[in-house]
Amino acid sequence: MKVVIFIGHFKTGSTSIQSFLSSNFLRMLRAGILYPSVESLGVARNLLVTLSGRDIPTLGESLNIIEPHNALALKLKTEEDRHGVPPYYPNLPSGFQMFEMIDNQIAALDPHSVILCSEVFALFGLTRERKSIERLAKRYAHYDVTIYCNLRRPDEYLSSWHRQRLKFGARLGKLSEDALDEYLDSAHFQQARLVEGWVEDHFPNAKLVIRNFDAVRAAGGSVKDFIKNAEIAFPSDLELPEDQNPSVPSAFAEVGRRALHELPRDAANRVVGWLSSVGGRVAHPADNQIEVFGSRNREILLNRFRPIAERLDEMTGGRFYADLDDFGRCRPIPEMDAVNEALPKLLRDAGQRDLPEDVLSWLNNWKN
């Protein structure tokens, strides 16, 4: 049996892949491919799909259904280092019970391929003892395993992930100031170590697929690239979802960041939710044209990443980031210039939305 373990990274299309897998559960199962559930809600939903005889899109469903292995990964990490499980993955059983549920589905359904997919798996490679990887290896390392990872150039990645955290309600500093520091020793920056943590001891015989996110986008997006490179015989009639889970655009992000510092939590979350949806209505520069680090932090980022890039080259047998020196070059539009340019258009849009008066008042005062 083939086991593909997609370990992320964050902000490289993992949500779209998970939506694709969960929305095509029955068609894949009929073809011998299992995207296993880990708790009762997911199993109940898959029973409903099976009885109906057709797949149903999972958009809007519980994350326990769409992203079951995020739930698994968060539970395993919590049992390893007390990381915690957010409330949007509710009522989870223990890690042991989740593993038993996966193994029982494998035993009953006898698939030729099993897909475990979670960007949270990326965090496992940098835990102190890698206990979560060890638990996975004890169950699955004897199969034909592929460890699959998408990686994105660190400046674009950190900008996107930092903005994504606004949607979680995080009160953040600025990447041009001290906020960069919290990432440099983490799985969000240490790209080589996060992969090595999987293959060094526990999955030494696994095939390793590491994809540059630029190549992923050039291939048509994360879902099409995964279908092409996972070496699984996917059926040809699967539904492909639209790209999902966008971050707040860089041109608007400082508004959301300040809202989380200056407004009550509920009001700030309304602002961030609105900013996440407004990109299609308000014209703005592309994220990769806006400078969020500043020249000093650009230099730090590049110098700290050079040895990581060298290790990735050794792992992949080529120049993984051919544009490495570009990581240290500032983008053409300063962040605050982009914000000030966008603000009048944002205010016009805000006046047409169902935003509370205190939020509208704050936006107008913020402009002044």
Side-chain angles (χ1 to χ4, degrees):
M1 185 180 76
K2 185 176 186 62
V3 177
V4 175
I5 305 177
F6 180 91
I7 64 171
H9 209 200
F10 296 84
K11 302 310 298 177
T12 62
S14 57
T15 301
S16 295
I17 295 174
Q18 290 158 334
S19 179
F20 159 72
L21 295 172
S22 59
S23 294
N24 290 283
F25 171 82
L26 184 57
R27 275 172 284 197
M28 292 196 310
L29 186 61
R30 287 170 172 164
I33 305 165
L34 176 64
Y35 182 58
S37 298
V38 298
E39 46 75 69
S40 60
L41 187 62
V43 169
R45 209 267 185 184
N46 289 342
L47 285 172
L48 172 65
V49 166
T50 302
L51 283 173
S52 72
R54 61 183 181 87
D55 280 306
I56 304 170
T58 54
L59 185 64
E61 296 272 15
S62 165
L63 293 184
N64 285 358
I65 292 171
I66 303 171
E67 306 172 357
H69 310 139
N70 277 359
L72 169 67
L74 288 162
K75 177 61 76 169
L76 294 180
K77 195 167 191 307
T78 295
E79 292 175 352
E80 179 175 356
D81 63 9
R82 299 183 181 180
H83 176 274
V85 178
Y88 36 87
Y89 296 96
N91 306 318
L92 299 183
S94 69
F96 172 80
Q97 290 170 313
M98 290 181 173
F99 277 133
E100 288 292 290
M101 182 166 289
I102 292 173
D103 289 353
N104 288 336
Q105 290 168 84
I106 291 172
L109 299 170
D110 192 26
H112 62 67
S113 301
V114 173
I115 301 172
L116 304 178
C117 178
S118 171
E119 67 272 22
V120 183
F121 285 154
L123 303 180
F124 288 2
L126 271 75
T127 60
R128 179 175 297 179
E129 299 181 349
R130 300 173 187 164
K131 290 291 186 182
S132 299
I133 297 177
E134 181 181 1
R135 293 177 71 180
L136 282 153
K138 286 181 177 178
R139 299 266 181 168
Y140 309 118
H142 63 285
Y143 294 115
D144 176 13
V145 176
T146 294
I147 305 296
Y148 194 116
C149 185
N150 290 339
L151 294 176
R152 185 174 182 178
R153 54 181 284 170
D155 54 343
E156 290 186 4
Y157 171 82
L158 289 178
S159 172
S160 181
W161 175 245
H162 200 63
R163 288 178 278 117
Q164 179 73 5
R165 292 179 64 195
L166 298 175
K167 295 167 70 173
F168 305 148
R171 291 177 174 170
L172 304 172
K174 292 174 66 69
L175 286 171
S176 58
E177 297 172 356
D178 295 335
L180 176 65
D181 297 343
E182 69 177 286
Y183 296 121
L184 295 178
D185 292 320
S186 75
H188 296 291
F189 190 76
Q190 296 292 334
Q191 295 183 1
R193 284 172 58 197
L194 82 84
V195 177
E196 289 170 332
W198 278 85
V199 298
E200 278 182 340
D201 299 320
H202 301 301
F203 288 96
N205 298 318
K207 179 180 179 180
L208 187 58
V209 175
I210 306 178
R211 298 286 295 153
N212 186 313
F213 192 55
D214 285 342
V216 170
R217 288 185 286 203
S222 59
V223 173
K224 290 182 179 179
D225 196 71
F226 183 75
I227 291 172
K228 180 179 179 181
N229 292 288
E231 296 185 353
I232 291 176
F234 286 100
S236 60
D237 62 341
L238 301 181
E239 296 292 330
L240 303 185
E242 299 290 333
D243 288 342
Q244 297 181 31
N245 197 26
S247 301
V248 176
S250 276
F252 314 150
E254 181 63 7
V255 179
R257 192 189 72 83
R258 292 195 188 182
L260 284 159
H261 283 278
E262 299 174 12
L263 289 173
R265 179 54 59 92
D266 288 347
N269 288 341
R270 289 286 297 274
V271 171
V272 172
W274 162 64
L275 292 172
S276 300
S277 69
V278 77
R281 300 189 300 270
V282 173
H284 59 280
D287 295 334
N288 63 6
Q289 295 299 300
I290 297 175
E291 182 52 50
V292 298
F293 294 97
S295 58
R296 175 182 173 275
N297 278 1
R298 280 271 177 188
E299 183 178 2
I300 292 171
L301 183 150
L302 175 60
N303 290 336
R304 290 286 295 271
F305 197 76
R306 283 191 186 279
I308 299 170
E310 291 173 2
R311 181 62 187 128
L312 289 172
D313 292 347
E314 294 171 3
M315 294 167 68
T316 59
R319 188 81 184 276
F320 190 76
Y321 288 118
D323 54 350
L324 179 63
D325 288 336
D326 187 57
F327 300 177
R329 299 189 181 102
C330 287
R331 305 299 94 176
I333 305 173
E335 180 180 25
M336 289 311 301
D337 286 359
V339 174
N340 290 330
E341 174 69 22
L343 195 57
K345 294 175 283 186
L346 286 175
L347 289 170
R348 286 195 294 271
D349 186 86
Q352 300 169 7
R353 308 298 147 190
D354 186 24
L355 293 176
E357 285 298 325
D358 59 337
V359 168
L360 295 174
S361 176
W362 177 83
L363 286 168
N364 279 286
N365 289 334
W366 194 88
K367 177 191 69 171
N368 298 327

